[in-house]
Amino acid sequence: MANQHQAIRGMHDILPADIPAWHQLEETYRGLIESYGYREIRTPIVEKTALFARSIGEVTDIVEKEMYSFDDRNGDSLSLRPENTASVVRACLQAGLLQDQQQRLWYYGPMFRHERPQKGRYRQFYQFGAEAFGFAGADIEAELILIAARFWRQLGLEDIELQLNSLGSSECRRRYREHLVEYFRDHHDALDEDGRRRLETNPLRILDSKNPELQALIGAAPALGDSLDDESRAHFAELCEILDRAGLAYVVNQRLVRGLDYYSHTVFEWVTDTLGAQGTVCGGGRYDGLIEQLGGKPNHAAGFSMGCERLVAMLIDQGKARPARGCDVYLAMRGAGSAAAAARLAESIRDRMPRLELVVHAGGGSFKSQMRKADRSGARVALILGEAELEAGTVGLKPLREDTPQREIAQSEITATLDNLLQQV
Ligand code: ATP
Ligand code: MG
């Protein structure tokens, strides 16, 4: 019978076989980001739609066509979060965490965007992120970038290039926008439909277009760098100097603008060509205007977010994913009363070896089928509790991955023996 129920298009299950790679990513990220003094924050998955419209921008792709929005029973318009920065700022303002203090924060969780699903692009996807509030200097952008670089190193991932650009102050951006509109107006006929629409609403986004037919036009557009004022140049130069001194390679990409509206000064992306079309694994930068836009006192902000599905794909493709772990020990049994004795023995082993992965056979069945399950479980050792063992206060021990006969061990010796055996590999 065909499956009656399917997951929603673009939303996928993460099955047990892939979980070790996810755990590897999550544990590595948490350990790393906390070691830089960042603290986790968790916000609701649903917020008022107005929060995202206000922060991301009414005329961005995300707000115009990618949000999962709905009216709840009170008639409020709510949305599944398409990203987490707005929520984190909202939470900090609400809890007073930005009053005369700096914050280094991180998050992890699912985001939702109604995009066209394809490899590396889903409608529910996970992001890691970091946000730093209250830091004016380029040293914080450098720190965020160095964190990402160290993350790739710790994961063993290769071929991820850092691209940097500066959008300058909001004043520079405004000036640049004028040049750009003028340029694209002169080439109106060469624009695609999206481009024409953006020309009126959000012309910088034209630079972000993935349409191959626009690339030549975009390539010849005025460069942002020419519109930067001295202060913006100095900020960017400081960032580059810190990265140079840290020995971190980067490429300045003058076309890099990022999709969201709230960026100023630094923008960066980590890009790989090993994943096909969806090659950006991390994007971030400075967004000093956002906190005020959401009703707070003007304050500095910088951060990044990473696409976890793309990183898991890289881990697997580059052979760096942690293999699935089998269990350590499988406890099989036979004879009357053996299930109760097995549970008791297993619990006493767990008391003394809490990290041991010990599977107790359940559901009866022949001894032969139990041993088949023991073998399939990946266990290195089977413990066997039969009538003879019950009588003698012993347990049978059979190594499963080597050709050694079963031996009998006093139950009081079992943890010492297991300790010994399992450490040998
Ligand atoms: P893209 O250019 O790939 O659409 P974006 O600029 O929309 O990315 P951000 O909003 O900056 O992406 O999100 C940060 C990261 O989250 C991206 O670099 C990417 O790795 C990941 N990401 C974004 N959208 C998706 C998606 N629909 N599916 C999977 N990962 C995604
Ligand atoms: Mg996008």
Side-chain angles (χ1 to χ4, degrees):
M1 194 177 79
N3 273 337
Q4 212 180 344
H5 298 289
Q6 302 275 326
I8 293 166
R9 198 163 111 81
M11 304 200 180
H12 59 129
D13 305 305
I14 303 171
L15 298 174
D18 284 334
I19 289 292
W22 281 84
H23 282 174
Q24 174 183 0
L25 209 62
E26 291 159 5
E27 285 159 23
T28 308
Y29 185 72
R30 178 195 300 236
L32 174 68
I33 194 86
E34 297 249 325
S35 81
Y36 280 79
Y38 288 67
R39 297 292 167 246
E40 187 178 6
I41 181 163
R42 300 185 189 184
T43 62
I45 280 172
V46 182
E47 300 270 0
K48 295 216 174 108
T49 302
L51 175 71
F52 302 118
R54 188 89 191 98
S55 60
I56 299 169
E58 300 273 4
V59 292
T60 54
D61 283 355
I62 291 183
V63 171
E64 275 183 341
K65 49 188 188 199
E66 294 175 2
M67 282 218 289
Y68 280 91
S69 300
F70 57 95
D71 288 346
D72 81 352
R73 289 170 193 279
N74 307 326
D76 295 327
S77 177
L78 307 182
S79 294
L80 300 184
R81 62 182 184 196
E83 54 105 54
N84 206 22
T85 298
S87 308
V88 171
V89 170
R90 197 261 317 129
C92 286
L93 289 174
Q94 192 174 336
L97 298 184
L98 301 181
Q99 278 161 12
D100 307 315
Q101 30 184 337
Q102 297 174 318
Q103 293 288 344
R104 285 180 166 90
L105 302 169
W106 70 272
Y107 62 79
Y108 172 54
M111 311 297 157
F112 304 84
R113 296 183 195 176
H114 196 274
E115 305 193 67
R116 193 168 69 77
Q118 49 196 296
K119 183 171 178 273
R121 190 173 292 288
Y122 309 101
R123 290 180 172 174
Q124 173 174 338
F125 59 97
Y126 283 78
Q127 284 183 339
F128 292 129
E131 314 286 1
F133 299 128
F135 300 88
D139 46 355
I140 200 71
E141 285 114 297
E143 176 174 289
L144 290 161
I145 287 169
L146 290 169
I147 290 172
R150 186 170 294 277
F151 190 38
W152 318 142
R153 280 204 300 283
Q154 286 192 356
L155 293 170
L157 294 180
E158 285 165 7
D159 301 321
I160 310 180
E161 179 183 89
L162 173 60
Q163 300 192 356
L164 281 184
N165 194 18
S166 172
L167 304 176
S169 62
S170 51
E171 176 54 26
C172 303
R173 244 181 115 163
R174 199 191 51 71
R175 254 203 323 265
Y176 177 60
R177 193 187 143 112
E178 282 170 11
H179 293 312
L180 208 58
V181 168
E182 208 173 305
Y183 169 80
F184 283 124
R185 282 228 173 98
D186 289 344
H187 298 84
H188 197 265
D189 291 346
L191 286 173
D192 59 6
E193 196 191 314
D194 251 3
R196 282 183 202 138
R197 197 167 44 87
R198 285 174 179 160
L199 183 57
E200 304 308 324
T201 54
N202 191 354
L204 263 68
R205 285 296 315 279
I206 300 175
L207 301 179
D208 214 16
S209 167
K210 309 269 190 308
N211 183 352
E213 286 166 19
L214 286 189
Q215 296 312 310
L217 184 66
I218 291 170
L224 217 164
D226 301 337
S227 304
L228 294 188
D229 57 23
D230 289 349
E231 203 190 316
S232 301
R233 279 176 211 279
H235 187 98
F236 194 56
E238 190 194 344
L239 171 63
C240 293
E241 195 199 334
I242 300 176
L243 298 180
D244 289 339
R245 295 276 293 269
L248 198 71
Y250 55 87
V251 173
V252 175
N253 174 0
Q254 295 245 1
R255 306 288 160 217
L256 185 65
V257 292
R258 313 253 332 115
L260 311 185
D261 254 2
Y262 49 57
Y263 286 91
S264 60
H265 290 288
T266 312
V267 288
F268 61 85
E269 285 191 353
W270 289 90
V271 184
T272 181
D273 54 15
T274 65
L275 286 176
Q278 315 308 327
T280 305
V281 291
C282 174
R286 175 171 288 278
Y287 42 91
D288 282 347
L290 181 63
I291 294 175
E292 186 180 16
Q293 204 168 313
L294 292 180
K297 270 205 299 202
N299 204 344
H300 303 284
F304 63 65
S305 63
M306 302 176 173
C308 299
E309 282 77 6
R310 296 180 192 179
L311 292 173
V312 166
M314 284 190 87
L315 276 177
I316 292 170
D317 289 352
Q318 297 190 7
K320 298 290 162 47
R322 200 185 273 175
R325 178 181 171 209
C327 80
D328 299 313
V329 177
Y330 195 96
L331 176 52
M333 65 204 77
R334 62 179 148 198
S338 61
R344 186 160 161 256
L345 174 65
E347 290 304 308
S348 80
I349 295 174
R350 294 187 207 286
D351 287 343
R352 284 170 287 164
M353 304 180 79
R355 293 179 56 81
L356 184 77
E357 198 175 303
L358 166 61
V359 174
V360 180
H361 179 80
S366 72
F367 184 66
K368 207 167 143 197
S369 80
Q370 291 188 37
M371 289 309 280
R372 248 197 325 269
K373 286 193 174 133
D375 193 46
R376 263 190 261 136
S377 73
R380 307 239 308 280
V381 174
L383 292 178
I384 296 149
L385 209 50
E387 276 146 353
E389 284 86 7
L390 283 181
E391 193 110 323
T394 59
V395 60
L397 183 147
K398 169 87 181 105
L400 294 172
R401 312 291 154 203
E402 56 191 82
D403 202 12
T404 321
Q406 177 175 334
R407 56 192 161 116
E408 298 297 309
I409 298 178
Q411 286 190 13
S412 58
E413 299 287 308
I414 189 66
T415 50
T417 311
L418 286 176
D419 231 3
N420 238 326
L421 260 178
L422 296 171
Q423 258 166 32
Q424 277 167 21
V425 174

